[in-house]
Amino acid sequence: MPKTPSRHRSRSEVQTPLTPSLLAAMNNMAMRSGASPQKKTSRSKGPLTPFDTTNPFIAPSQLPSSSKSRPGSPVKRASAGGVPTSESFQRQAIGGVIRKGGVESRLDVVTNDYVPPPRADLKRSKSTPAVVRGDFMLDSALTESEQNRAAADHRDRFIMQKDNTDISAVAASLEQISLNSATTSPGHTARLAAATGMPLNRRILGYHEPPPAASSSTSDTLLSQQREFAKPLYAQRPGAVGTSTGAITNKSRKIPTQPERVLDAPGMVDDFYLNLLSWSVQNAIAVALEAVTYIWKADTGSVVQLGDAPEGTYISSVDFSNDGAFLGVGMGSGEVELWDVETGQKLRTMGGHTTQVATLSWHEHILSSGCADGSIWHHDVRVPRHKVMELLGHTGEVCGLKWRSDGELLASGGNDNVVNIWDGRVGDVGEGARGSAKWTKRNHTAAVKAIGWCPWQPSLLASGGGTNDATVHIWNSTTGARLHTVRTPSQVTSIQWAPHRKEILTTHGYPTNSIMLHAYPSMERVAEIRDAHDARVLFSCVGPAGDVVCTGAGDENLKFWRIWDLQSEQLTKKKTKKKDLTSVEDLGGGRINPTKEGILSIR
């Protein structure tokens, strides 16, 4: 213990009263030593003597061994040692508190800790394994009785995983485990219950009967294996003939599985990015066969050759104007031609693009063209300087382009897997004007050629991706949100909305070569015609009446499918016409076709 500072000692010497008992004790000590005590001043640095009373907090055990009058003992020694003990002094010593001004009690401190006696190790043969209880192993230091008790308890304290575990046995064993609530704090328990939100009197885990085992019969196993192996065979072989067995229809929805008409179209280019088919409101179909454009009129069944492409190039896209009076023709060299359908005369050639024009779309007097360099041009066919705006938003070839019916929005899809929605209000613009996309969607993972606006809800836009995507997305053009998504078995080549029903028709390429029909907004598959063509179905268009769909494919055929039925009034009118004209048959747009042959030739 450190020395008491001199200022404290001098203060205690002055303020501490000398009681008679203290004076008597000091006289006795002086008489026994035979010399008077040497008072140590605050500046003295010599060793302490056995009779130094200036620091009452120095224990005798701290003094040098040479100054001790007798050897120390770990046991509490008697208080006699020359110091007289009175009854009050003994009470103070027993209580451990020494009154200020009194003599310190010389209490011995036990410095040796208790060391338990060594335990004899339990000998065990090396071949005897240790007993495992739960995830704890009984150590060899345990006694034999403890090991026997531990080995008899086969319950798992923490690990609940065993082979052939009986749920009822586990539940019974857990019932034996209980918490000692007497040793827990009620306040702490209440705080835990409030923090976890669990009532105190409710069981957290409940054990019920095990679920029934799965059927292990051989027939069920073989059936599941057969279903797994048959998944890759969902689509029939590409060269299969489209029959009624290749169609899937809903019980409440029946569609014909055979086309009403087939037109031979030799020379049709099998190119996914091109758009070579268009159906006008005047019930005329334009189809491009290599370098020649043909017009097939459904009313009369006549075929008219409209014009040829310049030497060294080919026709890459066709599209009728809104009134059906004019036809826009895109060339592989980048030019866009304008033709008068009635007279068969070419009105003008609008140049500017340097590469293939794969898609065209009309709105009134504006003809928009999508180029392979990613640009979209607006051509005003009324003025000599036809280019009035350029839209730059694609890094790949623009292969899908469609105006909305009101002309306020234009949708485009490209080989860069991007769908753009543009503001279609051109206004007073010049040749160098450029527009920016209102919405840009990058959810597709392949080229987007299939683009279609909904006729009965103009804010809806459908888009379909190529082989690596094969997905149809439905967009809200007002908010830019994606509303629905449906995965298809193959690339989506075109999308058509039903004018009179809430349904969507899609055409597909390899391997299914199918025509699929989905309900909206559930997006459930209503019907599917597999192997509609012998090659991938690349193009499609809907007749002006909204009941017949024309499809074109790389097998050089045009097929007409009656997908949707007209309303009851139109059906009544058709029956009346059939009675009057028994030699004619209806084809597309609710109009008549004076041909009865199943296969016609355009050329």
Side-chain angles (χ1 to χ4, degrees):
M1 183 177 293
K3 300 179 181 180
T4 304
S6 60
R7 61 179 183 274
H8 291 171
R9 289 199 300 271
S10 61
R11 185 183 303 171
S12 62
E13 292 172 359
V14 175
Q15 295 181 358
T16 304
L18 296 177
T19 60
S21 59
L22 182 60
L23 291 176
M26 295 177 64
N27 292 331
N28 291 334
M29 288 189 293
M31 293 174 62
R32 290 184 60 180
S33 62
S36 60
Q38 297 178 359
K39 185 176 182 179
K40 185 179 179 180
T41 62
S42 60
R43 298 181 181 270
S44 176
K45 297 184 179 179
L48 296 176
T49 64
F51 308 102
D52 190 358
T53 59
T54 59
N55 192 348
F57 300 98
I58 299 297
S61 59
Q62 297 177 353
L63 298 177
S65 60
S66 60
S67 63
K68 293 183 180 179
S69 59
R70 56 186 178 85
S73 174
V75 185
K76 183 179 180 181
R77 63 184 181 183
S79 59
V83 180
T85 59
S86 61
E87 183 178 355
S88 62
F89 187 80
Q90 290 179 356
R91 286 196 303 268
Q92 296 178 28
I94 293 173
V97 179
I98 303 299
R99 179 171 50 84
K100 183 179 180 182
V103 179
E104 64 174 340
S105 61
R106 294 180 175 87
L107 301 178
D108 291 332
V109 179
V110 178
T111 58
N112 296 327
D113 294 335
Y114 172 77
V115 179
R119 185 187 308 176
D121 295 338
L122 180 64
K123 295 183 179 181
R124 185 178 58 193
S125 102
K126 296 182 180 179
S127 62
T128 304
V131 181
V132 179
R133 177 179 179 267
D135 58 345
F136 300 99
M137 184 172 67
L138 297 178
D139 192 79
S140 61
L142 298 179
T143 62
E144 182 178 0
S145 61
E146 292 174 342
Q147 286 192 0
N148 293 335
R149 288 195 303 270
D153 189 1
H154 297 287
R155 294 177 298 165
D156 288 343
R157 296 177 60 191
F158 301 101
I159 300 178
M160 307 301 293
Q161 297 179 357
K162 279 188 175 182
D163 296 336
N164 301 326
T165 301
D166 188 359
I167 299 298
S168 59
V170 174
S173 64
L174 289 178
E175 290 292 341
Q176 302 177 7
I177 303 175
S178 61
L179 296 176
N180 186 8
S181 59
T183 59
T184 59
S185 172
H188 179 67
T189 304
R191 287 192 297 272
L192 286 179
T196 57
M198 297 297 299
L200 294 176
N201 299 325
R202 181 181 299 176
R203 178 177 295 179
I204 298 178
L205 297 178
Y207 294 90
H208 304 280
E209 293 295 330
S215 176
S216 60
S217 62
T218 307
S219 59
D220 293 345
T221 305
L222 294 177
L223 181 59
S224 61
Q225 292 179 356
Q226 290 174 359
R227 289 176 178 175
E228 187 68 22
F229 294 152
K231 285 184 178 180
L233 304 178
Y234 174 77
Q236 296 182 359
R237 55 189 177 88
V241 179
T243 62
S244 59
T245 58
I248 297 178
T249 59
N250 197 340
K251 293 182 179 180
S252 60
R253 184 81 162 86
K254 300 295 182 179
I255 62 173
T257 58
Q258 294 293 333
E260 288 191 350
R261 291 289 182 271
V262 178
L263 296 181
D264 186 20
M268 179 171 285
V269 180
D270 187 2
D271 192 334
F272 171 81
Y273 297 97
L274 305 185
N275 293 270
L276 306 178
L277 192 63
S278 181
W279 200 335
S280 73
V281 295
Q282 296 184 5
N283 206 17
I285 294 179
V287 57
L289 304 179
E290 294 181 346
V292 183
T293 305
Y294 294 93
I295 303 294
W296 182 80
K297 296 182 179 181
D299 295 340
T300 61
S302 60
V303 178
V304 178
Q305 180 179 344
L306 195 62
D308 297 336
E311 186 178 356
T313 186
Y314 56 93
I315 299 175
S316 55
S317 58
V318 294
D319 190 51
F320 278 107
S321 61
N322 301 127
D323 56 3
F326 304 98
L327 179 69
V329 179
M331 300 293 175
S333 56
E335 289 84 6
V336 178
E337 297 181 351
L338 183 62
W339 290 79
D340 189 330
V341 177
E342 185 67 25
T343 61
Q345 299 293 324
K346 183 171 70 173
L347 302 179
R348 63 183 304 180
T349 299
M350 298 174 290
H353 290 297
T354 57
T355 55
Q356 169 181 283
V357 178
T359 179
L360 295 172
S361 183
W362 280 87
H363 175 65
E364 296 181 350
H365 56 275
I366 298 296
L367 175 60
S368 300
S369 59
C371 185
D373 60 4
S375 64
I376 300 173
W377 285 16
H378 289 334
H379 306 272
D380 191 342
V381 298
R382 305 171 300 175
V383 297
R385 304 183 67 174
H386 53 87
K387 180 183 177 183
V388 294
M389 181 172 285
E390 183 178 6
L391 306 178
L392 299 177
H394 291 277
T395 57
E397 180 177 7
V398 180
C399 51
L401 195 65
K402 190 73 66 175
W403 276 96
R404 200 167 75 174
S405 58
D406 57 3
E408 292 187 0
L409 294 177
L410 173 68
S412 63
N415 197 25
D416 53 358
N417 313 339
V418 174
V419 176
N420 283 325
I421 301 177
W422 310 83
D423 190 348
R425 292 167 292 187
V426 178
D428 296 332
V429 294
E431 183 178 357
R434 296 186 178 182
S436 58
K438 179 181 179 182
W439 302 108
T440 298
K441 302 300 176 182
R442 306 181 185 274
N443 300 79
H444 289 286
T445 58
V448 183
K449 175 191 176 184
I451 295 288
W453 290 98
C454 179
W456 35 266
Q457 190 170 346
S459 61
L460 297 181
L461 173 68
S463 62
T467 304
N468 294 332
D469 182 70
T471 304
V472 176
H473 294 307
I474 309 298
W475 311 94
N476 187 330
S477 59
T478 303
T479 62
R482 182 178 56 175
L483 303 179
H484 305 280
T485 298
V486 59
R487 178 78 177 179
T488 65
S490 57
Q491 67 178 169
V492 184
T493 58
S494 66
I495 291 179
Q496 305 293 339
W497 290 81
H500 308 296
R501 284 178 175 265
K502 290 189 175 181
E503 293 176 349
I504 305 174
L505 181 140
T506 56
T507 61
H508 301 270
Y510 181 84
T512 61
N513 303 332
S514 62
I515 300 174
M516 297 184 68
L517 196 63
H518 291 85
Y520 184 85
S522 65
M523 302 306 294
E524 295 180 356
R525 186 176 59 176
V526 176
E528 179 182 8
I529 305 175
R530 300 178 186 174
D531 293 316
H533 286 262
D534 295 337
R536 55 181 179 174
V537 186
L538 295 175
F539 324 110
S540 70
C541 53
V542 182
D547 56 348
V548 178
V549 176
C550 178
T551 58
D555 59 357
E556 299 183 344
N557 285 326
L558 295 181
K559 294 185 179 182
F560 296 86
W561 311 83
R562 188 171 297 276
I563 303 296
W564 300 288
D565 293 331
L566 298 178
Q567 299 177 0
S568 58
E569 295 181 358
Q570 294 179 340
L571 290 175
T572 304
K573 292 180 180 180
K574 284 185 179 181
K575 292 179 181 179
T576 305
K577 289 183 179 180
K578 286 184 178 180
K579 290 180 181 179
D580 297 337
L581 303 174
T582 57
S583 61
V584 298
E585 295 184 4
D586 174 57
L587 175 64
R591 306 194 181 190
I592 56 175
N593 178 24
T595 55
K596 299 181 65 175
E597 293 80 1
I599 299 180
L600 304 177
S601 178
I602 292 181
R603 291 188 174 182

